[in-house]
């Protein structure tokens, strides 16, 4: 067993080392897959949780697409350990993995994450060069092929919400898109952001409700209740457009339009006291409550295939 | 590592669409180097923005002159960042010991 401290923030190297440790320690259900590499050639690693019987329906979960949202990468690591260590002990997790595979990408933007540790803690975007501009990076959550370039994204390469030159221009985004498409049976697409304590479903690029609005809202509220049950943390539930603002090119809009009905984005703690600089003492409580919300959605996905 | 000495994070509460428009105008002023943590959306939602020390006075005067309410969420960002760094180092030392 490794000595990885899940209650603190880690470098990318330390996180990647722990992925190896988890795959080694829980080799019966955990394996590490490389789905691509970042603009600066860092590997994009996914943990696959599977009991290994064929190509099962699966759930996708990613974190850290915005690099400065450190509590998301940290929570994803705690959740990885939780899933691995509770399989065979917790009936709920055991049942989940006996029916579904889970793919977890804990650091979706590794270049940005490394940059937040070495150079600028407030960095949000990728680290790709923009032709014709001195400004670096694209907002990887405005770069998906869903209303690309529409309201809520910027065409200015110097903006923190720059959508990029074209949809999927960022290799970090394209790698996930290719993986999801090649898999062919992803039933849920879940993504972790911070902060604001929100649980959102499509759409962000338009303000018309999705066809499954009622069902997604019911699932979202059930998940928010689960989150609140642990420490009383309250979440607001709704579509991206109704909850925050119109934002085009987002990942869950792409996944939903691609046919993945259960598409949700979490905005984790807090509501602004610390914002992106959430104290490390809150990592584990955040991860614990987030896991309860995720588990509620995952159980629904298990029981309601489509 | 870039420092953020004197940077403040303000929470801005708007009352109407007109005040939101003023904030969206602020967003376009590149020389202020504002970093919107929560973007202007609707009057019901707060706007959080990190403001470098050199722009603080100008932004506060702008907000006050337009009657836009704000409060200081983070007095000095570097203080929080230093604490975060210390926590990480302490944790690494504990792991080693």
């Amino acid at each position: 067993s490794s000595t990885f401290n899940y209650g603190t923030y880690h470098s990318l190297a330390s996180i990647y080392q722990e992925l190896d440790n988890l795959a080694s320690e829980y080799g019966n259900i955990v394996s590490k897959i490389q789905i691509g590499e970042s603009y600066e050639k860092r590997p994009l690693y996914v943990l696959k949780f599977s009991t290994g019987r064929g190509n099962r329906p699966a759930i996708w979960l990613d974190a850290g697409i915005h690099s400065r949202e450190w509590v998301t990468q940290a929570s994803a690591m705690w959740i990885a350990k939780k899933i691995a260590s509770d399989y065979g002990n917790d009936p709920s997790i055991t049942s989940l993995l006996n029916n579904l595979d889970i793919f977890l990408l804990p650091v979706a933007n590794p270049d940005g994450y490394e940059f937040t540790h070495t150079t600028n803690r407030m960095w949000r975007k990728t680290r790709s060069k923009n032709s014709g501009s001195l400004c670096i990076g694209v907002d990887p959550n405005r770069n998906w092929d869903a209303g690309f370039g529409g309201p809520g994204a910027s065409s200015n390469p110097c903006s923190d919400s720059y959508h990029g030159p074209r949809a999927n221009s960022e290799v970090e985004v394209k790698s996930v898109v290719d993986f999801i498409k090649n898999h062919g049976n992803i039933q849920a697409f879940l993504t972790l952001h911070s902060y604001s304590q929100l649980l959102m479903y499509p759409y962000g690029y338009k303000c018309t409700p999705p066809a499954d609005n009622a069902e997604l809202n019911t699932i979202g509220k059930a998940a928010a209740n689960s989150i609140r049950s642990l420490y009383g943390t309250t979440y607001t539930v709704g579509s991206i457009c109704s909850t925050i603002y119109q934002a085009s090119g987002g990942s869950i809009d792409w996944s939903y339009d691609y046919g993945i009905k259960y598409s949700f984005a979490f905005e984790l703690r807090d509501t602004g006291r610390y914002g992106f600089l959430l104290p490390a003492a809150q990592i584990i409580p955040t991860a614990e409550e987030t896991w309860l919300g995720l588990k509620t959605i995952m159980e629904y996905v298990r029981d309601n295939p489509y | 590592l870039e420092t953020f000495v004197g940077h403040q994070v303000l929470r801005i509460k708007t009352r109407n669409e007109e005040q939101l428009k003023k904030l969206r105008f602020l967003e376009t002023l590149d020389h202020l180097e504002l970093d919107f943590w929560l973007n202007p959306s609707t009057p019901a939602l707060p706007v959080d923005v990190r403001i470098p020390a050199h722009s603080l006075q100008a932004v506060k005067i702008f907000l006050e002159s337009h009657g836009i309410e704000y409060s200081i969420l983070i007095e000095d960002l570097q203080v929080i960042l230093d604490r975060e760094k210390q926590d990480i180092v302490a944790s690494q030392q504990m792991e080693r010991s």
Side-chain angles (χ1 to χ4, degrees):
Chain A
S1 176
S2 81
T3 57
F4 189 83
N5 179 357
Y6 288 88
T8 191
Y9 295 114
H10 290 271
S11 66
L12 184 68
S14 174
I15 287 175
Y16 278 7
Q17 178 60 54
E18 182 62 7
L19 298 184
D20 284 334
N21 294 339
L22 287 169
S24 167
E25 188 178 355
Y26 301 99
N28 55 331
I29 58 161
V30 183
S31 55
K32 190 182 82 172
I33 301 167
Q34 183 176 345
I35 64 162
E37 56 182 26
S38 67
Y39 181 81
E40 292 176 342
K41 306 296 177 196
R42 293 185 176 86
L44 292 164
Y45 286 134
V46 165
L47 284 184
K48 179 182 181 183
F49 299 86
S50 174
T51 52
R53 298 191 192 96
N55 191 26
R56 286 210 170 118
I59 291 171
W60 172 267
L61 173 62
D62 65 71
I65 197 166
H66 288 146
S67 49
R68 64 184 173 182
E69 299 168 4
W70 277 13
V71 74
T72 69
Q73 298 95 337
S75 293
M77 292 305 293
W78 184 91
I79 287 164
K81 176 76 172 183
K82 178 75 176 166
I83 297 170
S85 60
D86 278 10
Y87 177 75
N89 299 315
D90 176 338
S92 170
I93 292 178
T94 307
S95 167
L96 274 172
L97 289 182
N98 283 340
N99 291 277
L100 296 158
D101 293 342
I102 298 173
F103 292 97
L104 170 61
L105 173 62
V107 187
N109 176 7
D111 296 347
Y113 189 67
E114 183 69 9
F115 198 71
T116 60
H117 277 266
T118 59
T119 311
N120 182 346
R121 173 66 180 84
M122 290 295 113
W123 192 258
R124 164 186 167 98
K125 300 190 285 183
T126 62
R127 291 295 302 162
S128 59
K129 286 189 176 134
N130 291 309
S131 170
S133 172
L134 291 175
C135 293
I136 297 286
V138 165
D139 182 340
N141 206 36
R142 300 289 184 279
N143 191 241
W144 300 68
D145 194 6
F148 177 80
S154 173
S155 56
N156 176 3
C158 298
S159 165
D160 252 355
S161 56
Y162 175 49
H163 50 55
R166 62 192 173 280
N168 297 330
S169 63
E170 301 314 281
V171 67
E172 295 84 357
V173 171
K174 180 74 162 52
S175 298
V176 176
V177 167
D178 289 346
F179 178 82
I180 300 272
K181 286 181 172 176
N182 287 335
H183 184 280
N185 197 7
I186 301 288
Q187 295 269 306
F189 187 103
L190 311 171
T191 184
L192 302 183
H193 289 254
S194 76
Y195 62 94
S196 287
Q197 295 173 198
L198 306 171
L199 180 42
M200 297 176 293
Y201 50 83
Y203 285 106
Y205 73 84
K206 59 185 178 182
C207 288
T208 48
D212 303 293
N213 185 75
E215 186 180 11
L216 295 177
N217 193 264
T218 301
I219 301 166
K221 284 186 172 157
N225 285 337
S226 301
I227 292 169
R228 195 179 61 238
S229 69
L230 194 58
Y231 297 114
T233 308
T234 55
Y235 268 57
T236 302
V237 179
S239 72
I240 295 172
C241 183
S242 69
T243 312
I244 42 174
Y245 40 74
Q246 240 184 310
S248 55
S251 65
I252 66 166
D253 282 359
W254 172 79
S255 61
Y256 184 78
D257 280 349
Y258 184 66
I260 302 172
K261 179 164 73 164
Y262 305 121
S263 292
F264 290 94
F266 287 68
E267 294 276 1
L268 308 187
R269 290 190 193 185
D270 56 11
T271 55
R273 171 70 187 84
Y274 293 101
F276 304 121
L277 305 173
L278 196 70
Q282 290 195 47
I283 293 173
I284 291 176
T286 301
E288 287 174 328
E289 67 190 14
T290 304
W291 169 241
L292 293 186
L294 287 168
K295 200 164 63 152
T296 295
I297 296 174
M298 289 180 181
E299 286 167 350
Y300 187 91
V301 174
R302 176 197 64 201
D303 298 337
N304 295 273
Y306 57 93
Chain B
L1 194 65
E2 190 170 323
T3 61
F4 295 87
V5 177
H7 288 221
Q8 290 190 347
V9 179
L10 299 190
R11 167 149 296 187
I12 302 168
K13 288 181 180 164
T14 54
R15 285 198 302 268
N16 50 46
E17 193 58 38
E18 194 56 38
Q19 292 190 337
L20 275 174
K21 273 187 193 162
K22 303 277 185 216
L23 293 187
R24 292 193 187 108
F25 169 72
L26 264 189
E27 269 186 305
T28 66
L29 302 179
D30 290 343
H31 68 280
L32 294 175
E33 298 180 63
L34 304 184
D35 172 16
F36 281 81
W37 288 14
L38 297 179
N39 291 96
S41 53
T42 71
L45 294 172
V47 176
D48 292 349
V49 57
R50 173 174 63 82
I51 306 171
H54 67 80
S55 300
L56 263 177
Q57 198 181 0
V59 172
K60 286 179 179 176
I61 288 170
F62 178 91
L63 295 174
E64 285 160 15
S65 67
H66 291 95
I68 301 173
E69 190 185 330
Y70 70 89
S71 58
I72 299 171
L73 271 184
I74 298 177
E75 186 79 33
D76 185 340
L77 192 66
Q78 192 59 43
V79 173
I80 310 276
L81 288 170
D82 289 343
R83 204 177 299 150
E84 184 179 76
K85 191 88 180 164
Q86 284 165 8
D87 283 351
I88 292 171
V89 171
S91 165
Q92 286 167 344
Q93 285 169 346
M94 269 177 65
E95 276 178 41
R96 274 190 220 107
S97 66

